Amino acid sequence: MTAEGKTAGQSLPISVRNVVKAYGPLRALDDMSIDVRAGEFMTLLGPSGSGKTTLLMALAGFVSPESGSIRFGGQEMVTVPPHKRGVGMVFQSYALFPFMSVEENVAYPLKIRRVSAADQKARVEAALELVQLGGYGGRRVHQLSGGQMQRVALARAMVFEPRIILMDEPLSALDKKLREQMQIELKALHRKLDATIVYVTHDQREALTMSDRIAVINQGRIAQLDTPEALYRRPKSLFVADFIGESVVLPVVLHDGAATLNGCKLKTTSSFGSAEGPYHLVIRPELLELSPDSSDGLMNDLSGEVREVIYQGDSALVLVRVGVDQEISLRVPASRAGSASIPDIAQRISLGLHAEDTIIVPETAL
Ligand code: ADP
Ligand code: MG
């Protein structure tokens, strides 16, 4: 490591091309291609069984694909055994050696790489400092809390300064508060390390918090790969829109190249028309405007009748019936005392949805 504690220019890009991994008739990785930039924090996000772990294991070398290519930098890895790929790994189940000390656990990757004892000691200490466990080297692993064990696992994955670090749901065994704290720490850690991180989670909020980019995975394929903001604001399919963030979904009818809702043409900046099958309007509740400026030519007007108001402390959830049988919800911030921004039940209200926030998507983009 350099004086600033940052490893010197080591991170590598990852390029996965047309990788297939089948278990009998099931394609866990179905012609998977993905590019991860050098030094990027890339998250693989998807439902259980979508192929996230299989992809990570293929990167690590524990799963051999039937076909396709995996390159680190320019080098083909498919035939390189796991211990020669130079990747650090962290799992949900910390996979520590329970009867060794913290120090011995963290030193293990250095020991098998035949690093000198003096060097081992210095590097282990530096790694423990990085995960805020300085001075814990002598402790036994079974004396540690879950959060501390996960930090030891992190230190062990980083101690040999790998150019690529793979993490498979590393925080899912921790309680919510500790998990959120560790998310912020991991992100800070990534800034200090010059390593490419591929991080697996099924928790969309965790993915949005931590990632430079997110690959949403569905049935062994990439449904969409984008920045957190782009995924949220411009999902390309109902699958992605549903998986990330809160949304209300209404079916729309495509007519003469325009999307219509209850017979009214919707203004939208979404492009559509290529995929087959039904299309949907995805509404993010916080983007709906109450009593919009009707002179704004880029507003869609969704008028309706308030059916229910649910007070939730910082905000109220207002359910509005639009059209004949469609219900949408919007979030109205609780305002200062005296101001009347929260509408009443049975009131008719007008809702605005800006063309740029009017997301029209097909069911799936696969
Ligand atoms: P995820 O990590 O996204 O939950 P996995 O990559 O573990 O998903 O699994 C993807 C699919 O491959 C699942 O349907 C799973 O049942 C199947 N699978 C994974 N590993 C094996 C295996 N060793 N043998 C048979 N099927 C497997
Ligand atoms: Mg998994």
Side-chain angles (χ1 to χ4, degrees):
M1 290 191 192
T2 60
E4 305 85 44
K6 188 166 176 112
T7 51
Q10 294 184 327
S11 65
L12 288 177
I14 300 171
S15 171
V16 174
R17 282 283 159 275
N18 307 107
V19 165
V20 174
K21 177 67 199 175
Y23 294 109
L26 175 96
R27 284 189 159 203
L29 298 177
D30 189 5
D31 204 24
M32 167 75 71
S33 296
I34 178 172
D35 281 296
V36 186
R37 297 172 187 146
E40 186 168 34
F41 195 118
M42 170 73 80
T43 295
L44 310 178
L45 173 69
S48 172
S50 56
K52 306 179 298 292
T53 295
T54 305
L55 177 54
L56 215 63
M57 288 298 151
L59 293 177
F62 297 111
V63 155
S64 306
E66 268 82 52
S67 59
S69 154
I70 295 174
R71 287 168 181 269
F72 296 169
Q75 201 191 343
E76 181 56 57
M77 285 290 149
V78 163
T79 53
V80 177
H83 66 280
K84 294 206 170 136
R85 294 195 183 193
V87 302
M89 293 205 72
V90 186
F91 304 95
Q92 173 185 347
S93 62
Y94 324 113
L96 298 174
F97 305 113
F99 298 107
M100 285 188 193
S101 68
V102 165
E103 208 164 39
E104 286 163 336
N105 266 281
V106 177
Y108 186 76
L110 299 176
K111 205 167 150 188
I112 58 173
R113 285 173 175 78
R114 301 181 192 285
V115 172
S116 76
D119 242 17
Q120 279 189 34
K121 197 166 168 51
R123 288 218 211 167
V124 167
E125 263 169 38
L128 287 175
E129 285 297 336
L130 264 181
V131 297
Q132 302 181 25
L133 281 181
Y136 279 71
R139 300 271 183 104
R140 299 272 127 190
V141 162
H142 61 81
Q143 299 171 329
L144 302 178
S145 70
Q148 290 169 331
M149 282 197 248
Q150 196 49 282
R151 276 172 225 252
V152 175
L154 273 172
R156 186 179 61 181
M158 296 174 341
V159 74
F160 62 97
E161 298 178 8
R163 299 159 301 174
I164 292 170
I165 301 177
L166 308 175
M167 303 193 193
D168 196 354
E169 314 224 9
L171 306 183
S172 55
L174 307 179
D175 65 44
K176 186 167 180 284
K177 201 167 164 205
L178 188 56
R179 194 162 67 231
E180 286 170 358
Q181 183 193 335
M182 287 289 289
Q183 286 167 5
I184 293 165
E185 280 182 28
L186 264 179
K187 197 157 169 54
L189 201 57
H190 173 240
R191 256 183 243 117
K192 287 190 212 157
L193 299 172
D194 191 6
T196 307
I197 295 184
V198 183
Y199 186 95
V200 165
T201 183
H202 63 270
D203 178 344
Q204 51 104 8
R205 196 161 272 285
E206 183 163 295
L208 292 175
T209 303
M210 306 184 69
S211 322
D212 293 321
R213 291 191 300 163
I214 299 170
V216 181
I217 302 202
N218 186 21
Q219 298 177 359
R221 293 187 182 205
I222 309 271
Q224 190 172 348
L225 192 159
D226 250 317
T227 61
E229 193 191 354
L231 279 177
Y232 184 80
R233 295 187 61 101
R234 293 184 296 282
K236 293 199 168 89
S237 62
L238 186 60
F239 178 81
V240 171
D242 249 356
F243 207 76
I244 294 181
E246 211 182 321
S247 54
V248 174
V249 177
L250 300 177
V252 295
V253 176
L254 287 197
H255 191 70
D256 278 346
T260 60
L261 179 70
N262 300 322
C264 292
K265 197 169 149 182
L266 290 167
K267 297 159 193 153
T268 176
T269 54
S270 295
S271 56
F272 47 85
S274 56
E276 298 268 312
Y279 278 77
H280 305 271
L281 167 63
V282 173
I283 303 173
R284 303 300 193 185
E286 77 281 6
L287 297 178
L288 278 168
E289 267 183 53
L290 202 53
S291 324
D293 175 2
S294 55
S295 70
D296 184 340
L298 285 173
M299 276 291 177
N300 288 301
D301 178 29
L302 306 170
S303 297
E305 185 188 309
V306 175
R307 307 296 293 171
E308 193 71 75
V309 176
I310 301 154
Y311 179 68
Q312 294 181 325
D314 60 341
S315 60
L317 200 62
V318 180
L319 304 185
V320 180
R321 194 178 67 194
V322 296
V324 185
D325 58 354
Q326 293 170 331
E327 197 152 272
I328 60 184
S329 56
L330 76 149
R331 201 168 280 289
V332 180
S335 51
R336 277 158 303 197
S339 66
S341 72
I342 298 177
D344 298 319
I345 290 176
Q347 191 182 332
R348 270 204 77 77
I349 58 169
S350 161
L351 298 173
L353 186 63
H354 197 275
E356 276 184 24
D357 301 326
T358 302
I359 306 163
I360 313 275
V361 291
E363 220 134 82
T364 122
L366 287 186

